[in-house]
Amino acid sequence: MPWRPPPSDRFYRFLVRTGLFLRWALQVRIITSGTEHLPDPGPRHGASRAVVPGGGAVFAITHFGYLDFAAAELLLWKRERGQLRFLIHQGAADHWLAGPAIAASGHVVVGYAERSGAYDNAVARLRAGEYLAVFPEAGVSRSFVVRECRTGAVRMAAEAGVPVIPVSVWGTHRLLTRGHGFSLRRGWRAPVRVHVGAPLRFPPDVDAERETLLLRRLLQAGVDRCIADFPLAPEPGAWWMPSHLGGGAPSEAERQALDARDAARGRRRGRRSAG
């Protein structure tokens, strides 16, 4: 088990400044739309946004690559010095290097089997006024199309009485994603497109399945908008473009088959561990 330091705003700001430096060094361009849908900047507590009850929100972010979180966090930090607390799987928290950073950043860790504690913690933080970020797809979509979403974002927002804000990110998967490592050539002056959708509010008795389908459609609509005005023309068959647009990414049917294979492997590993 890795060392788990207590949460530290100073460490969080260090990570954000590191991200800002890397963005500057690579001249990455973050192009945004829909920022009027972000929460209004509130009071500050030192260098960061003050957490005030009634000011919380769930940020539902698309997940095509491993840097999607950074684009969303840098956008929110620039606007109001807001700090996103992410729901992160226990597997990442157990990593010898990532684990201490996750703990010091104050993220919410979702256990391997017992998840009710993380859910209750997340709802309590939302009620207290924190910003909580989730990847509703619960994994990277290799087709670069928003895949099936879990209901957690909708259920937590409804129970806490806060909005869900859809955030669609396009372009970070070109920099680093599953099966494609970082390339300085792709990273230099790379465009990243982010669209923020209108906030969604749900009653306590929400139909989570139905509203999650709506959230998925809105996230995909945001992705489509980002692709439509993305300032980089893809070459024919580009690996980072979805197949229905002529790209080389797996089709939705292929992606579903790959996801099923991964899930089967995970179940087999779980049975061996249990024995």
Side-chain angles (χ1 to χ4, degrees):
M1 179 179 295
W3 170 56
R4 289 192 172 90
S8 167
D9 282 353
R10 180 175 296 179
F11 179 77
Y12 197 104
R13 291 194 297 271
F14 166 76
L15 290 181
V16 170
R17 293 187 182 112
T18 301
L20 290 171
F21 171 77
L22 292 174
R23 177 190 172 187
W24 169 82
L26 293 172
Q27 297 294 292
V28 173
R29 295 174 290 156
I30 300 182
I31 306 159
T32 62
S33 60
T35 54
E36 68 274 12
H37 298 310
L38 291 172
D40 292 331
R44 299 277 183 88
H45 178 71
S48 304
R49 163 188 173 266
V51 175
V52 179
V58 175
F59 288 79
I61 307 170
T62 56
H63 202 17
F64 297 165
Y66 298 138
L67 298 176
D68 302 324
F69 77 95
E73 174 54 60
L74 292 181
L75 171 62
L76 203 60
W77 181 264
K78 179 180 179 181
R79 176 180 171 86
E80 57 181 281
R81 295 298 186 266
Q83 297 183 356
L84 285 175
R85 310 298 185 186
F86 284 80
L87 261 70
I88 296 179
H89 191 264
Q90 185 70 56
D94 286 343
H95 190 273
W96 69 272
L97 180 60
I102 289 169
S105 299
H107 299 307
V108 178
V109 177
V110 181
Y112 293 110
E114 173 54 48
R115 299 182 177 182
S116 61
Y119 180 90
D120 293 342
N121 183 11
V123 170
R125 290 188 181 207
L126 289 168
R127 287 173 173 160
E130 290 200 31
Y131 292 159
L132 196 69
V134 300
F135 295 116
E137 299 164 88
V140 170
S141 174
R142 289 173 283 199
S143 64
F144 308 134
V145 173
V146 178
R147 69 179 193 173
E148 298 82 4
C149 295
R150 296 184 179 179
T151 60
V154 170
R155 290 188 292 108
M156 288 188 298
E159 187 169 339
V162 301
V164 172
I165 301 177
V167 181
S168 301
V169 181
W170 180 257
T172 52
H173 63 294
R174 290 186 62 250
L175 307 182
L176 184 64
T177 192
R178 189 170 186 172
H180 296 275
F182 177 77
S183 164
L184 186 60
R185 179 180 62 84
R186 290 197 307 269
W188 175 247
R189 293 185 175 176
V192 171
R193 185 72 170 81
V194 182
H195 178 71
V196 182
L200 305 171
R201 287 191 175 272
F202 309 107
D205 60 347
V206 63
D207 183 336
E209 295 286 350
R210 183 188 66 195
E211 299 302 337
T212 298
L213 290 175
L214 170 63
L215 175 61
R216 182 187 182 188
R217 291 196 296 270
L218 292 174
L219 287 171
Q220 184 60 52
V223 169
D224 294 341
R225 178 168 177 170
C226 291
I227 293 175
D229 60 9
F230 195 62
L232 183 64
E235 66 277 12
W239 66 263
W240 52 273
M241 287 293 290
S243 64
H244 71 275
L245 295 178
S251 67
E252 274 292 270
E254 291 169 335
R255 188 270 302 168
Q256 290 171 353
L258 290 169
D259 288 349
R261 185 186 66 186
D262 290 347
R265 287 176 175 172
R267 287 193 293 268
R268 287 197 295 270
R269 283 196 297 268
R271 285 196 295 268
R272 286 197 296 268
S273 297

